[in-house]
């Protein structure tokens, strides 16, 4: 395939991304929670743009925007999401939607390209109301009861009320049409520093890691912080601290090369300055794309808990509260992205897993899926300073469009 | 002094304590927050009882009950408090009030005893609305502005509203009358296990420890728990855990024989399972009756923080938020309690500091003060299972009455 064919228009891509940034702007980022006014305006903006790519646009009953084509030939679904975390960055989500829009604009109008790119903006990937609600709905995993119960985690607004205010009450939800698509392709900022620190332009995602989450409980004895001698205390908070340090010491010998683990929340009971904590809890998360690694680490965790309980004075229990199977990216799609990188980005790409979750992991349950990463400056994400150099945004768009062309012609 | 004089009536003491337990009973303890209905009834109960001891009773404008005598001779002030922590024990407070009442009943009617015991029930020792409000008011340390601002820490009710509902609005607060009292004596359950584990009946309190409190802050870098490699993380929560463990390892070499220290509260920012904490905070408390020991430990704490900051990747800062000078108990009062223990309890006493705060530390700022402890079963306090064996309650009462007699005749 020659490299001289029509490709992404970098200026148009940057202009579109900046147009979306202007809706709900916050400092250099955006504040665009799901079903907020800026989110609604962003969906409408996309609906207005899709016809330029030869696509018919609809917003479905859960807030997914879908652009469909009547062009003959294979269809490749591409997209990401338009809402943001609270007071967060401008590229997390919109980058993938605009790349998909650009690919559709370039390829759908090109009679030499067999088939078309269809565009999706999945609603609430950021989880204001639930977990991947839009893409999960599309793959058939969201019930009406789940929507009935969903509330905004920040303000508590019921999802049904939010849908009504968006004018979406009673609309059907669009579900995957088996056989319609050859697969799904999504671009995203890396949200880490692997590409930047290696001076690379493109990450070819091999898998989206699974997330395993544990609630680790420490049970001691609540007592008076003034009258209880150190020697007889059963301080659940101290037991927790020792356990955190032990994880830090022992996990590196057992983990895989890319495993990450995080204690994100700690609670002491009752949490008063003059009371020795009788109970303590930590939320602990492990991510890896290899379930065998997770299994080893979980066994280590349980062994450590048993050892700590046997040693005393507190008892430790480990409860698994979330199991997330990793999503493998399609091998052919990885090859297409790598070939596109060689063709238009000097081959400055690397294969890597995604440590963060993305809509692609939901789509991967029903069709071949692939992901492309562009560098994140300083690896920063979920913060208004999140950014990517313009040159990297443009290069990424060119690789993405070229990869779509290769997949459609495969 | 002969040991055969009229002494405490153990059955009467137990009956009175059980009468107070029946007001606001919760399981085997009580739920009697300051200015609750059971608290009001308990104050009224005491007001009804004080004339039996030859005392005139008043409730002052902050809810202190004071029983005053017109008997000639020296006056010894004695008492404790009647409210409880939420859902807590039956003896923390009432024991000292009933011992004082019993001492007044026995000694004020005895013409051979020169002078009288006067009784006080200090309001809100348990700190529902403030810190030692009743006894601090009596020693002149509470302003009207502090009362204006005070609110119930559980329900948020304004103290002014609570005082109005108690019928105490506009009443004068009674202040210490310089020269009136030879001193103040208070009995209390130990709230620790020193007496029980040594099979002793009486603790002769040497001092009430000071409480120093610190806010220790850890500053790292908030980041995505999936995309940030372990090697580049600046996890403030992990830094906090390591600091807790380091305190546990290093404090024992520097502390005094009775120092206690406690991390009562830990907060991670932002405290979400998928975000590496960028900030963390612990509330840390040290108690000792020797300020030199505290000074050494505070220096160690600051050294450890500097070392941790220098080592990285997080910075640690230590902020002192409370300095509490220890209150020394009067040497003559200690001797009187010890002599009483020899006379009526077979000398089964030990001198010990109080690790908990008590109204006696406020009274000690304006007059000689002493405290007597009785054993706590299992060292439990601030819990409804708090208890003391009846035989220990009765022995304690006898020692208390005898100690009062000795102080009045000194």
């Amino acid at each position: 395939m020659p490299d001289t064919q029509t490709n992404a228009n970098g200026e148009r891509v940057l202009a579109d991304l900046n147009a979306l940034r202007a809706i709900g702007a916050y400092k250099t980022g955006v504040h665009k929670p799901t079903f907020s006014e800026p989110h609604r305006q962003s969906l409408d903006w996309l609906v207005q743009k899709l016809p330029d790519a030869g696509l018919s646009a609809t917003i479905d009953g859960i807030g997914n925007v879908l652009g469909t084509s009547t062009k003959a030939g294979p269809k490749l679904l591409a997209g990401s999401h338009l809402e943001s975390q609270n007071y967060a960055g401008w590229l997390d989500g919109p980058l993938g939607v605009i790349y998909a829009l650009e690919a559709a604009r370039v390829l759908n109008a090109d009679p030499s390209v067999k088939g078309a790119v269809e565009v999706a903006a999945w609603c609430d990937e950021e989880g204001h109301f639930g977990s991947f609600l839009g893409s999960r709905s599309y793959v058939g995993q969201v019930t009406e009861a789940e929507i009935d119960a969903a509330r905004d985690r920040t303000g508590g607004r019921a999802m049904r009320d939010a849908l009504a205010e968006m004018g979406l009450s009673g609309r059907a939800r669009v579900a995957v049409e088996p056989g319609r698509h050859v697969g799904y392709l999504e671009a995203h900022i890396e949200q880490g520093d692997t590409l930047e620190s290696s001076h690379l332009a493109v990450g070819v995602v091999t898998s989206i890691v699974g997330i395993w989450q544990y609630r680790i409980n420490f049970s001691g004895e609540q007592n008076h912080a003034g009258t209880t001698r150190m020697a007889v205390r059963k301080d659940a908070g101290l037991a927790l601290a020792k356990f955190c340090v032990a994880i830090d010491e022992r996990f590196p010998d057992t983990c895989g090369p890319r495993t990450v683990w995080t204690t994100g929340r700690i609670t002491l009971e009752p949490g008063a300055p003059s009371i020795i904590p009788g109970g303590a809890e930590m939320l602990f998360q492990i991510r890896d794309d290899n379930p065998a690694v997770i299994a080893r680490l979980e066994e280590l965790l349980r062994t450590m808990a048993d050892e700590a309980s046997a040693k005393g004075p507190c008892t430790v229990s480990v409860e698994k509260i979330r199991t997330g199977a990793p999503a493998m990216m399609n091998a052919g799609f990885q090859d297409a992205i790598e070939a596109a990188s060689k063709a238009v980005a000097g081959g400055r790409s690397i294969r890597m897993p995604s440590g963060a979750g993305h809509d692609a992991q939901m789509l991967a349950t029903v069709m071949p899926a692939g992901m492309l990463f562009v560098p994140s400056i300083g690896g920063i994400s979920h913060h208004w300073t999140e950014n990517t150099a313009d040159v990297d945004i443009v290069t990424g768009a060119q690789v993405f469009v070229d990869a779509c062309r290769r997949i459609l012609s495969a």
Side-chain angles (χ1 to χ4, degrees), chain A:
Chain A
M1 174 170 300
D3 298 338
T4 52
Q5 288 175 273
T6 312
N7 216 320
N9 178 336
E11 284 181 22
R12 183 167 61 182
V13 166
L14 289 170
D16 284 350
L17 285 169
N18 278 296
L20 284 172
R21 168 148 72 171
I23 305 172
Y26 173 76
K27 299 189 179 176
T28 63
V30 294
H31 178 57
K32 206 180 290 195
T34 303
F35 302 141
S36 63
E37 178 58 22
H39 183 221
R40 194 190 59 70
Q41 289 175 20
S42 300
L43 301 188
D44 288 346
W45 181 94
L46 179 62
V47 166
Q48 299 299 318
K49 285 282 182 184
L50 289 172
D52 299 347
L55 298 172
S56 302
T58 60
I59 305 182
D60 83 345
I62 202 163
N64 287 335
V65 178
L66 292 143
T68 52
S69 167
T70 54
K71 193 177 175 189
K75 308 282 186 299
L76 174 65
L77 188 59
S80 190
H81 59 94
L82 290 176
E83 82 286 342
S84 75
Q85 289 281 341
N86 293 332
Y87 308 103
W90 68 301
L91 294 171
D92 181 349
L95 182 103
V97 174
I98 298 304
Y99 278 15
L101 173 65
E102 182 64 11
R105 283 188 295 220
V106 170
L107 302 178
N108 296 359
D110 186 342
S112 76
V113 174
K114 193 179 58 168
V117 172
E118 297 194 326
V119 175
W122 309 112
C123 195
D124 203 34
E125 191 267 353
E126 295 293 4
H128 291 275
F129 287 85
S131 172
F132 300 103
L133 281 173
S135 53
R136 269 205 303 126
S137 168
Y138 186 75
V139 303
Q141 292 184 14
V142 174
T143 63
E144 292 298 310
E146 179 173 354
I147 298 173
D148 291 343
R151 293 185 168 272
D152 185 335
R153 66 174 145 87
T154 304
R157 183 168 58 145
M159 182 156 172
R160 288 292 183 201
D161 294 342
L163 286 168
E165 285 160 33
M166 295 283 286
L168 299 175
S169 286
R171 277 199 207 187
R173 291 190 273 139
V174 175
V176 62
E177 189 182 322
R180 178 179 183 88
H181 297 110
V182 294
Y184 173 75
L185 196 64
E186 179 170 357
H188 207 277
I189 56 168
E190 183 198 342
Q191 303 178 279
D193 69 348
T194 301
L195 295 176
E196 183 186 56
S197 62
S198 308
H199 306 288
L200 296 170
V202 168
V204 180
V205 177
T206 53
S207 61
I208 298 171
V209 303
I211 301 178
W212 281 257
Q213 205 153 292
Y214 304 86
R215 185 179 290 122
I216 308 180
N217 268 289
F218 301 80
S219 180
E221 197 170 279
Q222 181 177 323
N223 232 319
H224 192 293
T227 57
T228 314
R229 292 178 292 127
M230 298 308 293
V232 300
R233 294 182 176 209
K234 297 179 181 177
D235 183 333
L238 178 59
L240 181 150
K242 288 182 176 177
F243 201 79
C244 285
V245 172
I247 288 171
D248 182 59
E249 289 168 355
R250 295 174 65 173
F251 263 46
D253 294 336
T254 304
C255 70
R258 291 181 184 275
T259 319
V260 291
W261 57 91
T262 307
T263 300
R265 189 181 300 162
I266 291 174
T267 315
L268 304 189
E269 283 297 330
S274 286
I275 303 179
I276 301 162
E281 178 185 293
M282 56 189 265
L283 284 185
F284 183 69
Q285 189 181 85
I286 315 176
R287 300 191 190 210
D288 203 288
D289 62 355
N290 184 349
V293 169
I294 300 285
R296 286 204 308 265
L297 290 172
E298 183 177 316
E299 190 185 337
L300 174 58
L301 204 62
R302 294 188 188 281
T303 300
M304 288 170 58
D306 291 345
E307 288 172 1
S309 297
K311 190 176 174 191
C314 298
T315 56
V316 186
S317 65
V318 174
E319 178 194 359
K320 181 153 60 180
I321 54 178
R322 175 175 169 179
T323 300
M328 305 315 291
M329 297 293 98
N330 178 268
F333 284 19
Q334 293 181 48
D335 291 344
I337 299 166
E338 198 164 61
S341 166
K342 280 189 185 135
V344 302
R348 292 179 296 122
S349 69
I350 187 172
R351 295 196 180 215
M352 60 187 294
S354 170
H358 295 289
D359 289 311
Q361 74 198 57
M362 294 303 149
L363 276 297
T365 65
V366 294
M367 61 180 77
M371 281 197 81
L372 172 162
F373 279 167
V374 299
S376 294
I377 294 174
I380 295 167
S381 77
H382 288 184
H383 190 273
W384 58 268
T385 56
E386 164 197 294
N387 206 4
T388 296
D390 281 359
V391 62
D392 286 331
I393 292 175
V394 171
T395 299
Q398 288 165 343
V399 173
F400 189 85
V401 173
D402 198 60
C404 288
R405 181 188 285 113
R406 287 167 194 271
I407 291 169
L408 283 175
S409 69

